[in-house]
Amino acid sequence: TLMNLYGTIQDITGMKEFENFLGETEETIDRIQKRFQVLVQQSSDVFEIISPDCTILYISPAVEQIVGYPPEERIGKSTLEFLEGEQRQKFIKQVDSILDNPGERMQGDVILKDRNGEASYLTYTMTNQLTEPSIQGIVINWRDITDRIENQKEIEFIATHDELTKLPNRVSLKKKMSQLCVENTNSDYNFALIMLDLDGFRYVNDALGYQYGDQLIVQVSHRLKGFLGDETFLCRYTGDQFAIIIQNLNKSWEYEQIAKKITTLFKDAYKVDLYELDMTVS
């Protein structure tokens, strides 16, 4: 009996190579995704995806470090809930603009209230990724710049305020005067500048020492501030000279009355340590 066997031989080398390639590609993609996930998880920046109506679709864990809210408490809510007043309106305009101009990259900054009610200063970039199938939203990258802003404010305060009394200094006075003159060039609005000199202050320093002179200046500033209130501009112009800007009075004699009342603040002696100091002013 003759038995015949029939078969085919097929070269599957290419298929195996392709399968290996797919396997390696999947591993590569998986590795890239995990790497990206770790980077996002560990980043101090906040990555957020919102819908056109500002609903939060995704937000990275770093948000908790900045504002105190974990991601699960923010996802599904409107990002507008965490903004107030002018900050909210400014953000809405940015979103409307990015929707109208999908190819652009928007930048901005905003002040956000954290969970404790304290202000956090954030800068952000915003891109429209609604047409990207894997995102389908507006991508926002937030960065906390609170420390930088606070440092800038501190530097500005030091430059414009007296170290001893914490009152504005002559730099602030110059800015204030320029502002008032510009604002009121074409109006009937008026104001008065009063320069106040402590008589004999140099003798306090010479006889008792500068530490007593400093204490006296602080007490004078407190007494003036208590009389004038927070709305009146009070400045330590030089060592023993103060500047006061009075506004919103109609007659010159009204300004003169204020000046006379200021001089009466010095009728009572100033107690500095064991000394009672009688001061007069010009």
Side-chain angles (χ1 to χ4, degrees):
T1 303
L2 180 63
M3 183 178 293
N4 295 322
L5 295 176
Y6 297 93
T8 60
I9 298 175
Q10 184 177 0
D11 185 359
I12 60 171
T13 303
M15 185 180 298
K16 286 294 184 182
E17 290 177 350
F18 182 66
E19 289 176 353
N20 291 336
F21 170 76
L22 288 178
E24 292 175 357
T25 302
E26 290 176 357
E27 290 179 5
T28 301
I29 294 173
D30 185 58
R31 186 165 59 251
I32 292 173
Q33 288 177 338
K34 288 181 178 178
R35 183 182 300 168
F36 177 75
Q37 186 177 11
V38 169
L39 289 174
V40 170
Q41 296 282 337
Q42 298 299 322
S43 175
S44 58
D45 287 5
V46 176
F47 298 91
E48 182 177 28
I49 301 175
I50 64 172
S51 63
D53 65 356
C54 295
T55 300
I56 301 171
L57 306 176
Y58 167 82
I59 195 164
S60 63
V63 66
E64 189 169 5
Q65 300 174 15
I66 297 177
V67 293
Y69 293 97
E72 56 269 20
E73 290 189 20
R74 289 178 64 98
I75 294 175
K77 295 183 178 180
S78 172
T79 194
L80 301 178
E81 292 181 18
F82 304 95
L83 301 172
E84 298 179 352
E86 182 182 346
Q87 302 298 318
R88 177 183 296 187
Q89 296 305 317
K90 184 168 67 172
F91 188 79
I92 290 173
K93 288 181 179 179
Q94 284 275 48
V95 172
D96 290 341
S97 181
I98 202 73
L99 291 173
D100 294 336
N101 304 277
E104 293 189 11
R105 181 188 184 92
M106 302 288 180
Q107 293 183 326
D109 54 76
V110 70
I111 302 174
L112 197 68
K113 294 288 186 180
D114 64 18
R115 195 161 200 161
N116 298 320
E118 298 181 359
S120 294
Y121 297 85
L122 307 176
T123 184
Y124 62 86
T125 57
M126 182 186 300
T127 56
N128 186 335
Q129 300 292 336
L130 287 167
T131 58
E132 171 57 49
S134 61
I135 298 178
Q136 297 182 349
I138 298 170
V139 177
I140 307 173
N141 175 211
W142 304 89
R143 176 168 296 178
D144 186 6
I145 57 171
T146 303
D147 289 343
R148 189 175 77 193
I149 295 297
E150 294 297 340
N151 288 337
Q152 289 175 349
K153 286 184 176 182
E154 184 176 354
I155 292 171
E156 182 179 353
F157 185 88
I158 291 172
T160 58
H161 287 74
D162 174 55
E163 182 179 3
L164 179 63
T165 63
K166 309 306 178 187
L167 292 175
N169 60 17
R170 61 194 303 165
V171 174
S172 290
L173 176 64
K174 183 178 180 180
K175 290 181 179 179
K176 182 68 174 179
M177 291 292 291
S178 297
Q179 175 188 347
L180 288 173
C181 290
V182 169
E183 289 178 352
N184 304 294
T185 300
N186 299 317
S187 70
D188 295 329
Y189 180 88
N190 58 74
F191 62 91
L193 171 64
I194 300 175
M195 303 301 294
L196 185 71
D197 288 299
L198 300 182
D199 298 329
F201 177 73
R202 177 170 61 86
Y203 299 109
V204 175
N205 280 337
D206 291 344
L208 301 179
Y210 287 100
Q211 67 273 26
Y212 291 97
D214 286 349
Q215 290 182 48
L216 175 61
I217 288 294
V218 170
Q219 289 193 34
V220 169
S221 69
H222 287 169
R223 198 175 288 189
L224 287 170
K225 197 71 177 175
F227 171 72
L228 296 169
D230 293 331
E231 299 302 318
T232 302
F233 183 89
L234 171 64
C235 152
R236 187 186 182 194
Y237 189 72
T238 61
D240 62 349
Q241 191 174 45
F242 292 84
I244 304 166
I245 296 179
I246 305 295
Q247 305 176 66
N248 301 324
L249 300 182
N250 297 318
K251 305 294 183 180
S252 60
W253 61 265
E254 293 180 283
Y255 290 107
E256 292 173 7
Q257 277 192 335
I258 293 291
K260 290 179 181 178
K261 288 180 180 179
I262 290 173
T263 60
T264 62
L265 297 177
F266 294 84
K267 287 185 176 180
D268 296 329
Y270 288 86
K271 185 172 179 58
V272 178
D273 201 7
L274 300 177
Y275 302 96
E276 287 191 359
L277 304 177
D278 293 311
M279 301 297 299
T280 59
V281 291
S282 301

